[in-house]
Amino acid sequence: MDGMIYLSLAYIAMIAAIAIWTWTVVTRSRSIEARLAAVESTIGLSADEGDDVASQSVDE
Amino acid sequence: MRGRSPEVLLFTGFAGIATTLFLAWNWAPSVSINAFESPAAQRIFYWHVPSAWAALIAFTVLFVGSTMWFFKRNSLGWKLHVAGSEAGLACGLMVVCSGCIWGSAEWGTPWDWSDVRLNSFGLLTLLAMFLVLGRKSQPDGVETRDTFSTFGMYGFVLVPLTYISTRIWQIRHPGPVGGPGAEGTIDGSMRFVVLFGALAFTLLIAGHMMMSMRITDMEQRLEQAQKKLDEG
């Protein structure tokens, strides 16, 4: 029975870790999305002007 | 990328993983108490194998993205590199942690430094950790991306090595129970739970990688906006 208790604790710890990771990623995405929408609507930047480093390296 | 499909994948995958654990705990048959030191700990297998599968998908995405960036300077390639390294690190840690739990219960030691499978997978996880932490500590630029992409490409050699390791050198890690070179078979209901878990982890990791690509894209656009604001 001890083995099943340890197993349950391990399962709970691992699924909790995945839940925290997933929740963190989703809230981070929503927060950046809100900031970006506010900034882009203020200065009128289009979505295709995104990766400055990639466009610089192609220009080189 | 603007749709809600990453969130749908994430939550479907998460629900699938929770179901896998419920099935593993409650429904999958027990193993013979004579064959294992710790029969209950064997059920960690339903977490360990699907997360290893998801890790290998993530490392493949890392390799593809690194190659696309290095040879084509492709923006999508860099986003794939970022997504693959983050997902590879998360899944790698899940595999290593669950393996250590099983090792402690079954072998009496969490790690065996002489086992090729353990060490090659450990190195892959460390590589993903280096890429994730290194990228956060360096300013973004062509040279930085080239350096990390090189590690992403050459590090991929550890993936086939990890796959074949227990087929060639079986030291401590159990041998394969499915696919080419398999030495044994598993019960049908055990196989069902493992495959269900693999599908759930695949959905979760696909959702995480799509979400990561979206975040990278938005961060780049924010940086552009910041530059435009600074220029007045």
Side-chain angles (χ1 to χ4, degrees):
Chain A
M1 194 57 204
D2 268 1
M4 288 306 274
I5 292 170
Y6 289 132
L7 178 75
S8 308
L9 290 175
Y11 274 178
I12 290 167
M14 289 188 292
I15 196 123
I18 286 203
I20 292 167
W21 176 44
T22 304
W23 185 248
T24 308
V25 168
V26 171
T27 50
R28 188 169 154 226
S29 167
R30 287 186 180 163
S31 138
I32 295 176
E33 203 172 350
R35 279 165 54 202
L36 186 65
V39 173
E40 283 187 342
S41 67
T42 309
I43 60 170
L45 196 73
S46 68
D48 55 358
E49 290 177 58
D51 193 357
D52 199 24
V53 176
S55 50
Q56 273 173 17
S57 68
V58 171
D59 293 344
E60 284 165 12
Chain B
M1 295 293 286
R2 281 173 184 269
R4 290 285 162 215
S5 48
E7 280 98 333
V8 173
L9 283 174
L10 276 180
F11 291 114
T12 312
F14 186 80
I17 289 174
T19 310
T20 306
L21 292 193
F22 177 75
L23 292 173
W25 200 83
N26 216 28
W27 184 73
S30 299
V31 290
S32 161
I33 56 166
N34 300 321
F36 288 86
E37 287 289 322
S38 178
Q42 180 272 339
R43 288 176 195 264
I44 208 95
F45 162 82
Y46 301 108
W47 180 282
H48 185 72
V49 175
S51 55
W53 163 252
L56 294 185
I57 293 175
F59 287 122
T60 305
V61 169
L62 170 64
F63 173 73
V64 171
S66 301
T67 309
M68 281 169 70
W69 170 262
F70 194 81
F71 291 108
K72 297 279 181 195
R73 294 287 191 270
N74 186 304
S75 179
L76 173 67
W78 181 247
K79 286 174 200 160
L80 288 172
H81 169 98
V82 173
S85 57
E86 287 176 355
L89 174 61
C91 292
L93 288 174
M94 286 184 233
V95 177
V96 170
C97 291
S98 57
C100 287
I101 291 170
W102 187 75
S104 297
E106 185 66 25
W107 302 331
T109 176
W111 199 264
D112 183 347
W113 292 104
S114 65
D115 189 282
V116 180
R117 166 66 68 92
L118 267 60
N119 291 301
S120 63
F121 200 90
L123 276 174
L124 261 174
T125 307
L126 285 175
L127 170 77
M129 190 179 282
F130 164 73
L131 294 177
V132 171
L133 297 181
R135 198 173 52 246
K136 288 186 192 302
S137 67
Q138 298 291 317
D140 193 16
V142 178
E143 292 83 6
T144 306
R145 292 188 185 188
D146 282 352
T147 306
F148 289 130
S149 296
T150 310
F151 278 99
M153 283 192 299
Y154 286 103
F156 187 75
V157 76
L158 288 165
V159 170
L161 177 70
T162 301
Y163 180 78
I164 61 165
S165 57
T166 51
R167 288 164 171 80
I168 299 176
W169 310 281
Q170 199 172 330
I171 300 165
R172 182 88 87 153
H173 191 284
V177 289
E183 291 170 357
T185 55
I186 57 171
D187 176 78
S189 41
M190 287 179 164
R191 178 179 290 115
F192 172 78
V193 181
V194 171
L195 293 177
F196 188 86
L199 177 67
F201 266 94
T202 304
L203 293 177
L204 182 92
I205 214 64
H208 265 290
M209 288 192 290
M210 287 170 76
M211 193 65 99
S212 170
M213 288 170 70
R214 181 198 277 175
I215 289 174
T216 307
D217 180 61
M218 290 191 296
E219 283 174 344
Q220 287 168 350
R221 281 162 51 200
L222 258 182
E223 203 169 311
Q224 277 286 91
Q226 185 67 49
K227 273 186 190 166
K228 219 168 184 176
L229 278 173
D230 290 346
E231 286 162 7

